[in-house]
Amino acid sequence: MSSPAVVEAAPVAGSTPGALQGPRSRRRVALVPTLALLLGAVYCLLPVAWVVIAATKSGSELFSTFTFLPGTGLADNLSGLSAYRDGVYWRWMGNSALYAGLGALLSTAVSAISGYALAVYRFRGRETVFNILLTGVLMPPVILAVPQYLLLARIDLADTYWSVLLPLVLSPYGVYLSRIYAAAAVPGDVVEAGRVDGAGEWRIFTRIALPMMVPGLVTVFLFQFVAVWNNFLLPYIMLSDDEKFPITLGLFTLLEQGSNTPALYTLVITGALLAVLPLIALFLVVQRFWSLDLLSGAVKS
């Protein structure tokens, strides 16, 4: 019996006969997005590396040594920052933790309830309400800050902690994310089953829907926390007492004073480095909740 003939595939037009085409070309194409991501990572991390290294330098080393050469003044910078005005820097950090933590919690709670209602319930004007909220996403904060100040000043809440917290409670972007996630993660059949079993709407939301929405709500909380922690414009307009300043506004005042007292520049840089650490710690803590997203498709609707 004669063996079957071996048929060789014709080479691709314009290529060298006998050369491997598929896997090698795909690997070359895969290098492009990898290089782009590496360049983006370097672009984002380079300022952070500069802050880390500059925080180790004394006032004389900051302007006289190579940019990425570590210095010997980190301990002195930390002690000087803690001693400045009897430790007002840590008061600013505490204020930022209050604004960002409580503001993000309240905003996440409002976003969860609003997003769930817009995703599950059918009522007249639902899409109109949702579209109005979307316009809030496109609205620049600078346009809203001045009217918010005038409204809060009318009820004597300007220059208080509430003047920073209250405008942060409603986040149009948080409501948008919550609605999208609730529509995908909470099956309608599960909600109907809860109603058939006699559960009330609030019980269905807290006991059934809310656990399914946890990964999405963690994302909303993280976005809100970072946005409030880095917020500068709203506290700048609302507050005049520097004892209530968040860390962003406090470092800004230090930077302004540094134009007349160059020794404060090292305190500003060290303070900026310490201000980043809570955000890194928060990300490391909450990222494990995102693994729960793998279970969001476990229920078949």
PDB file of all heavy atoms in Angstrom, residues 208-232:
ATOM      1  N   ILE A 208     -30.284  40.291  49.255  1.00  0.00           N
ATOM      2  CA  ILE A 208     -30.067  39.573  48.005  1.00  0.00           C
ATOM      3  C   ILE A 208     -29.234  40.400  47.022  1.00  0.00           C
ATOM      4  O   ILE A 208     -28.180  39.959  46.555  1.00  0.00           O
ATOM      5  CB  ILE A 208     -31.418  39.191  47.359  1.00  0.00           C
ATOM      6  CG1 ILE A 208     -32.211  38.273  48.302  1.00  0.00           C
ATOM      7  CG2 ILE A 208     -31.195  38.513  46.013  1.00  0.00           C
ATOM      8  CD1 ILE A 208     -33.590  37.919  47.797  1.00  0.00           C
ATOM      9  N   ALA A 209     -29.706  41.602  46.721  1.00  0.00           N
ATOM     10  CA  ALA A 209     -29.050  42.396  45.677  1.00  0.00           C
ATOM     11  C   ALA A 209     -27.724  42.975  46.142  1.00  0.00           C
ATOM     12  O   ALA A 209     -26.736  42.971  45.391  1.00  0.00           O
ATOM     13  CB  ALA A 209     -29.985  43.518  45.220  1.00  0.00           C
ATOM     14  N   LEU A 210     -27.677  43.492  47.365  1.00  0.00           N
ATOM     15  CA  LEU A 210     -26.469  44.169  47.828  1.00  0.00           C
ATOM     16  C   LEU A 210     -25.238  43.265  47.826  1.00  0.00           C
ATOM     17  O   LEU A 210     -24.161  43.686  47.371  1.00  0.00           O
ATOM     18  CB  LEU A 210     -26.708  44.759  49.219  1.00  0.00           C
ATOM     19  CG  LEU A 210     -25.749  45.864  49.666  1.00  0.00           C
ATOM     20  CD1 LEU A 210     -25.770  47.025  48.679  1.00  0.00           C
ATOM     21  CD2 LEU A 210     -26.109  46.341  51.060  1.00  0.00           C
ATOM     22  N   PRO A 211     -25.319  42.007  48.319  1.00  0.00           N
ATOM     23  CA  PRO A 211     -24.136  41.136  48.227  1.00  0.00           C
ATOM     24  C   PRO A 211     -23.679  40.897  46.788  1.00  0.00           C
ATOM     25  O   PRO A 211     -22.474  40.756  46.539  1.00  0.00           O
ATOM     26  CB  PRO A 211     -24.606  39.835  48.884  1.00  0.00           C
ATOM     27  CG  PRO A 211     -25.684  40.256  49.819  1.00  0.00           C
ATOM     28  CD  PRO A 211     -26.395  41.375  49.121  1.00  0.00           C
ATOM     29  N   MET A 212     -24.621  40.836  45.841  1.00  0.00           N
ATOM     30  CA  MET A 212     -24.236  40.660  44.443  1.00  0.00           C
ATOM     31  C   MET A 212     -23.558  41.895  43.868  1.00  0.00           C
ATOM     32  O   MET A 212     -22.761  41.798  42.929  1.00  0.00           O
ATOM     33  CB  MET A 212     -25.475  40.338  43.600  1.00  0.00           C
ATOM     34  CG  MET A 212     -26.145  39.026  43.934  1.00  0.00           C
ATOM     35  SD  MET A 212     -27.612  38.756  42.902  1.00  0.00           S
ATOM     36  CE  MET A 212     -28.102  37.118  43.462  1.00  0.00           C
ATOM     37  N   MET A 213     -23.845  43.058  44.438  1.00  0.00           N
ATOM     38  CA  MET A 213     -23.305  44.316  43.919  1.00  0.00           C
ATOM     39  C   MET A 213     -21.998  44.726  44.584  1.00  0.00           C
ATOM     40  O   MET A 213     -21.445  45.777  44.263  1.00  0.00           O
ATOM     41  CB  MET A 213     -24.337  45.433  44.112  1.00  0.00           C
ATOM     42  CG  MET A 213     -25.615  45.259  43.318  1.00  0.00           C
ATOM     43  SD  MET A 213     -26.879  46.493  43.750  1.00  0.00           S
ATOM     44  CE  MET A 213     -26.031  48.021  43.354  1.00  0.00           C
ATOM     45  N   VAL A 214     -21.502  43.915  45.534  1.00  0.00           N
ATOM     46  CA  VAL A 214     -20.320  44.312  46.313  1.00  0.00           C
ATOM     47  C   VAL A 214     -19.127  44.673  45.444  1.00  0.00           C
ATOM     48  O   VAL A 214     -18.493  45.722  45.658  1.00  0.00           O
ATOM     49  CB  VAL A 214     -19.965  43.206  47.333  1.00  0.00           C
ATOM     50  CG1 VAL A 214     -18.561  43.411  47.880  1.00  0.00           C
ATOM     51  CG2 VAL A 214     -20.952  43.225  48.478  1.00  0.00           C
ATOM     52  N   PRO A 215     -18.721  43.859  44.440  1.00  0.00           N
ATOM     53  CA  PRO A 215     -17.551  44.254  43.652  1.00  0.00           C
ATOM     54  C   PRO A 215     -17.721  45.600  42.956  1.00  0.00           C
ATOM     55  O   PRO A 215     -16.787  46.410  42.921  1.00  0.00           O
ATOM     56  CB  PRO A 215     -17.408  43.111  42.633  1.00  0.00           C
ATOM     57  CG  PRO A 215     -18.086  41.955  43.271  1.00  0.00           C
ATOM     58  CD  PRO A 215     -19.218  42.526  44.049  1.00  0.00           C
ATOM     59  N   GLY A 216     -18.899  45.852  42.404  1.00  0.00           N
ATOM     60  CA  GLY A 216     -19.129  47.142  41.767  1.00  0.00           C
ATOM     61  C   GLY A 216     -19.126  48.289  42.760  1.00  0.00           C
ATOM     62  O   GLY A 216     -18.603  49.367  42.479  1.00  0.00           O
ATOM     63  N   LEU A 217     -19.698  48.073  43.955  1.00  0.00           N
ATOM     64  CA  LEU A 217     -19.732  49.129  44.961  1.00  0.00           C
ATOM     65  C   LEU A 217     -18.352  49.401  45.530  1.00  0.00           C
ATOM     66  O   LEU A 217     -18.044  50.534  45.912  1.00  0.00           O
ATOM     67  CB  LEU A 217     -20.706  48.746  46.078  1.00  0.00           C
ATOM     68  CG  LEU A 217     -22.166  48.609  45.659  1.00  0.00           C
ATOM     69  CD1 LEU A 217     -23.033  48.253  46.849  1.00  0.00           C
ATOM     70  CD2 LEU A 217     -22.663  49.896  45.000  1.00  0.00           C
ATOM     71  N   VAL A 218     -17.514  48.378  45.604  1.00  0.00           N
ATOM     72  CA  VAL A 218     -16.127  48.599  46.024  1.00  0.00           C
ATOM     73  C   VAL A 218     -15.412  49.516  45.031  1.00  0.00           C
ATOM     74  O   VAL A 218     -14.641  50.407  45.412  1.00  0.00           O
ATOM     75  CB  VAL A 218     -15.393  47.253  46.173  1.00  0.00           C
ATOM     76  CG1 VAL A 218     -13.900  47.461  46.300  1.00  0.00           C
ATOM     77  CG2 VAL A 218     -15.913  46.496  47.376  1.00  0.00           C
ATOM     78  N   THR A 219     -15.686  49.318  43.761  1.00  0.00           N
ATOM     79  CA  THR A 219     -15.103  50.195  42.739  1.00  0.00           C
ATOM     80  C   THR A 219     -15.601  51.624  42.898  1.00  0.00           C
ATOM     81  O   THR A 219     -14.822  52.579  42.815  1.00  0.00           O
ATOM     82  CB  THR A 219     -15.448  49.662  41.339  1.00  0.00           C
ATOM     83  OG1 THR A 219     -14.987  48.319  41.210  1.00  0.00           O
ATOM     84  CG2 THR A 219     -14.789  50.516  40.264  1.00  0.00           C
ATOM     85  N   VAL A 220     -16.902  51.790  43.140  1.00  0.00           N
ATOM     86  CA  VAL A 220     -17.458  53.128  43.362  1.00  0.00           C
ATOM     87  C   VAL A 220     -16.818  53.775  44.579  1.00  0.00           C
ATOM     88  O   VAL A 220     -16.442  54.951  44.556  1.00  0.00           O
ATOM     89  CB  VAL A 220     -18.992  53.047  43.525  1.00  0.00           C
ATOM     90  CG1 VAL A 220     -19.564  54.396  43.930  1.00  0.00           C
ATOM     91  CG2 VAL A 220     -19.637  52.571  42.232  1.00  0.00           C
ATOM     92  N   PHE A 221     -16.679  53.010  45.665  1.00  0.00           N
ATOM     93  CA  PHE A 221     -16.064  53.547  46.883  1.00  0.00           C
ATOM     94  C   PHE A 221     -14.627  53.981  46.627  1.00  0.00           C
ATOM     95  O   PHE A 221     -14.205  55.057  47.063  1.00  0.00           O
ATOM     96  CB  PHE A 221     -16.101  52.495  47.987  1.00  0.00           C
ATOM     97  CG  PHE A 221     -15.395  52.919  49.254  1.00  0.00           C
ATOM     98  CD1 PHE A 221     -16.052  53.712  50.185  1.00  0.00           C
ATOM     99  CD2 PHE A 221     -14.095  52.523  49.501  1.00  0.00           C
ATOM    100  CE1 PHE A 221     -15.398  54.119  51.347  1.00  0.00           C
ATOM    101  CE2 PHE A 221     -13.437  52.923  50.658  1.00  0.00           C
ATOM    102  CZ  PHE A 221     -14.095  53.717  51.587  1.00  0.00           C
ATOM    103  N   LEU A 222     -13.875  53.152  45.912  1.00  0.00           N
ATOM    104  CA  LEU A 222     -12.480  53.490  45.650  1.00  0.00           C
ATOM    105  C   LEU A 222     -12.367  54.743  44.795  1.00  0.00           C
ATOM    106  O   LEU A 222     -11.548  55.638  45.080  1.00  0.00           O
ATOM    107  CB  LEU A 222     -11.774  52.315  44.963  1.00  0.00           C
ATOM    108  CG  LEU A 222     -10.279  52.500  44.681  1.00  0.00           C
ATOM    109  CD1 LEU A 222      -9.511  52.683  45.976  1.00  0.00           C
ATOM    110  CD2 LEU A 222      -9.727  51.314  43.901  1.00  0.00           C
ATOM    111  N   PHE A 223     -13.171  54.835  43.740  1.00  0.00           N
ATOM    112  CA  PHE A 223     -13.141  56.025  42.893  1.00  0.00           C
ATOM    113  C   PHE A 223     -13.497  57.272  43.686  1.00  0.00           C
ATOM    114  O   PHE A 223     -12.850  58.318  43.556  1.00  0.00           O
ATOM    115  CB  PHE A 223     -14.111  55.852  41.723  1.00  0.00           C
ATOM    116  CG  PHE A 223     -13.596  54.966  40.625  1.00  0.00           C
ATOM    117  CD1 PHE A 223     -14.400  54.617  39.547  1.00  0.00           C
ATOM    118  CD2 PHE A 223     -12.312  54.462  40.663  1.00  0.00           C
ATOM    119  CE1 PHE A 223     -13.927  53.802  38.541  1.00  0.00           C
ATOM    120  CE2 PHE A 223     -11.833  53.641  39.658  1.00  0.00           C
ATOM    121  CZ  PHE A 223     -12.642  53.313  38.598  1.00  0.00           C
ATOM    122  N   GLN A 224     -14.531  57.169  44.523  1.00  0.00           N
ATOM    123  CA  GLN A 224     -14.953  58.322  45.313  1.00  0.00           C
ATOM    124  C   GLN A 224     -13.905  58.696  46.346  1.00  0.00           C
ATOM    125  O   GLN A 224     -13.634  59.885  46.573  1.00  0.00           O
ATOM    126  CB  GLN A 224     -16.286  58.026  45.995  1.00  0.00           C
ATOM    127  CG  GLN A 224     -17.483  58.222  45.092  1.00  0.00           C
ATOM    128  CD  GLN A 224     -17.591  59.655  44.606  1.00  0.00           C
ATOM    129  OE1 GLN A 224     -17.261  59.956  43.457  1.00  0.00           O
ATOM    130  NE2 GLN A 224     -18.030  60.549  45.460  1.00  0.00           N
ATOM    131  N   PHE A 225     -13.314  57.715  46.999  1.00  0.00           N
ATOM    132  CA  PHE A 225     -12.297  58.005  48.010  1.00  0.00           C
ATOM    133  C   PHE A 225     -11.111  58.735  47.390  1.00  0.00           C
ATOM    134  O   PHE A 225     -10.633  59.742  47.928  1.00  0.00           O
ATOM    135  CB  PHE A 225     -11.834  56.703  48.669  1.00  0.00           C
ATOM    136  CG  PHE A 225     -10.935  56.910  49.860  1.00  0.00           C
ATOM    137  CD1 PHE A 225     -11.470  56.899  51.136  1.00  0.00           C
ATOM    138  CD2 PHE A 225      -9.579  57.105  49.711  1.00  0.00           C
ATOM    139  CE1 PHE A 225     -10.656  57.088  52.245  1.00  0.00           C
ATOM    140  CE2 PHE A 225      -8.754  57.299  50.805  1.00  0.00           C
ATOM    141  CZ  PHE A 225      -9.292  57.294  52.077  1.00  0.00           C
ATOM    142  N   VAL A 226     -10.643  58.233  46.260  1.00  0.00           N
ATOM    143  CA  VAL A 226      -9.499  58.870  45.604  1.00  0.00           C
ATOM    144  C   VAL A 226      -9.865  60.278  45.130  1.00  0.00           C
ATOM    145  O   VAL A 226      -9.082  61.222  45.272  1.00  0.00           O
ATOM    146  CB  VAL A 226      -9.012  58.005  44.420  1.00  0.00           C
ATOM    147  CG1 VAL A 226      -7.939  58.736  43.620  1.00  0.00           C
ATOM    148  CG2 VAL A 226      -8.474  56.681  44.928  1.00  0.00           C
ATOM    149  N   ALA A 227     -11.075  60.439  44.574  1.00  0.00           N
ATOM    150  CA  ALA A 227     -11.496  61.755  44.091  1.00  0.00           C
ATOM    151  C   ALA A 227     -11.604  62.757  45.229  1.00  0.00           C
ATOM    152  O   ALA A 227     -11.169  63.912  45.103  1.00  0.00           O
ATOM    153  CB  ALA A 227     -12.834  61.632  43.360  1.00  0.00           C
ATOM    154  N   VAL A 228     -12.166  62.333  46.369  1.00  0.00           N
ATOM    155  CA  VAL A 228     -12.307  63.252  47.504  1.00  0.00           C
ATOM    156  C   VAL A 228     -10.950  63.524  48.140  1.00  0.00           C
ATOM    157  O   VAL A 228     -10.659  64.655  48.538  1.00  0.00           O
ATOM    158  CB  VAL A 228     -13.294  62.670  48.540  1.00  0.00           C
ATOM    159  CG1 VAL A 228     -13.399  63.586  49.746  1.00  0.00           C
ATOM    160  CG2 VAL A 228     -14.663  62.477  47.912  1.00  0.00           C
ATOM    161  N   TRP A 229     -10.122  62.503  48.246  1.00  0.00           N
ATOM    162  CA  TRP A 229      -8.793  62.686  48.845  1.00  0.00           C
ATOM    163  C   TRP A 229      -7.965  63.688  48.047  1.00  0.00           C
ATOM    164  O   TRP A 229      -7.241  64.507  48.614  1.00  0.00           O
ATOM    165  CB  TRP A 229      -8.073  61.337  48.916  1.00  0.00           C
ATOM    166  CG  TRP A 229      -6.744  61.382  49.613  1.00  0.00           C
ATOM    167  CD1 TRP A 229      -5.528  61.685  49.075  1.00  0.00           C
ATOM    168  CD2 TRP A 229      -6.497  61.113  51.001  1.00  0.00           C
ATOM    169  NE1 TRP A 229      -4.549  61.617  50.019  1.00  0.00           N
ATOM    170  CE2 TRP A 229      -5.112  61.265  51.218  1.00  0.00           C
ATOM    171  CE3 TRP A 229      -7.321  60.741  52.062  1.00  0.00           C
ATOM    172  CZ2 TRP A 229      -4.525  61.060  52.468  1.00  0.00           C
ATOM    173  CZ3 TRP A 229      -6.731  60.540  53.313  1.00  0.00           C
ATOM    174  CH2 TRP A 229      -5.362  60.707  53.502  1.00  0.00           C
ATOM    175  N   ASN A 230      -8.083  63.641  46.730  1.00  0.00           N
ATOM    176  CA  ASN A 230      -7.322  64.554  45.874  1.00  0.00           C
ATOM    177  C   ASN A 230      -8.056  65.854  45.574  1.00  0.00           C
ATOM    178  O   ASN A 230      -7.521  66.698  44.840  1.00  0.00           O
ATOM    179  CB  ASN A 230      -6.980  63.856  44.549  1.00  0.00           C
ATOM    180  CG  ASN A 230      -6.041  62.687  44.741  1.00  0.00           C
ATOM    181  OD1 ASN A 230      -5.204  62.679  45.634  1.00  0.00           O
ATOM    182  ND2 ASN A 230      -6.175  61.669  43.904  1.00  0.00           N
ATOM    183  N   ASN A 231      -9.255  66.019  46.108  1.00  0.00           N
ATOM    184  CA  ASN A 231     -10.054  67.199  45.800  1.00  0.00           C
ATOM    185  C   ASN A 231      -9.392  68.454  46.370  1.00  0.00           C
ATOM    186  O   ASN A 231      -8.993  68.497  47.536  1.00  0.00           O
ATOM    187  CB  ASN A 231     -11.461  67.046  46.367  1.00  0.00           C
ATOM    188  CG  ASN A 231     -12.413  68.081  45.799  1.00  0.00           C
ATOM    189  OD1 ASN A 231     -12.059  68.863  44.927  1.00  0.00           O
ATOM    190  ND2 ASN A 231     -13.634  68.090  46.311  1.00  0.00           N
ATOM    191  N   PHE A 232      -9.294  69.476  45.556  1.00  0.00           N
ATOM    192  CA  PHE A 232      -8.692  70.741  45.988  1.00  0.00           C
ATOM    193  C   PHE A 232      -9.657  71.908  45.849  1.00  0.00           C
ATOM    194  O   PHE A 232      -9.759  72.762  46.733  1.00  0.00           O
ATOM    195  CB  PHE A 232      -7.433  71.019  45.164  1.00  0.00           C
ATOM    196  CG  PHE A 232      -6.855  72.391  45.385  1.00  0.00           C
ATOM    197  CD1 PHE A 232      -6.085  72.662  46.496  1.00  0.00           C
ATOM    198  CD2 PHE A 232      -7.096  73.414  44.476  1.00  0.00           C
ATOM    199  CE1 PHE A 232      -5.559  73.921  46.716  1.00  0.00           C
ATOM    200  CE2 PHE A 232      -6.586  74.678  44.679  1.00  0.00           C
ATOM    201  CZ  PHE A 232      -5.813  74.936  45.800  1.00  0.00           C
TER     202      PHE A 232
END
